[in-house]
Amino acid sequence: MKTLVIYYSYEGNSEFVAAQIKAALGADLLRIETEDDRKRTGLSKFIWGGKQVFSRALPELKPYEVDIGAYDLIILGCPVWAGSPAPALRSFLARTPVKDKRIALFVCHGGGKGETLEKLKRELPGNTFVGDLDLANPLKGDAAAVKERIN
């Protein structure tokens, strides 16, 4: 089965998980990156991210190439922002149709997944969901335990 992991990572947690999945499954990776790649910290990060979520912003993405049709399984991952998927992943889904695929999801968060997985599923109608995973601060946890959960 040919597998593609599509992910957006702001602080490296989703990137870590995507790399573990790649290693476990021999998957291809597609990192989504926004045109605005300035890193915010502290309170400004939460205000900026929350504003994007609540305004339903679709940030501009850096160019990428992908043939979704070439894959049997698509694994999508991102951080949780204000109980929602990071807007960059929503931008990807708005721009790149994903239909009639087997889909697995993962989210990384510092406090809780909220309704993120359910919101992602609603944005991906016409697909078969085969699994989902939420991980709290995977870079800060016990690496072996995190890798086992991913596997």
Side-chain angles (χ1 to χ4, degrees), residues 128-148:
T128 302
F129 294 94
V130 297
D132 58 53
L133 179 65
D134 73 279
L135 296 157
N137 296 313
L139 287 175
K140 293 182 182 175
D142 172 17
V146 170
K147 287 179 184 179
E148 186 168 323

Side-chain angles (χ1 to χ4, degrees), residues 77-128:
C78 67
V80 174
W81 288 12
S84 297
L89 187 58
R90 290 187 50 257
S91 287
F92 174 84
L93 294 173
R95 179 192 288 180
T96 308
V98 179
K99 296 272 188 215
D100 301 318
K101 294 292 176 186
R102 293 171 44 120
I103 304 286
L105 304 170
F106 72 87
V107 295
C108 301
H109 53 83
K113 65 181 170 145
E115 297 291 316
T116 305
L117 293 167
E118 292 76 15
K119 289 176 182 180
L120 278 172
K121 289 175 182 175
R122 285 194 297 269
E123 293 201 31
L124 289 157
N127 293 287
T128 302

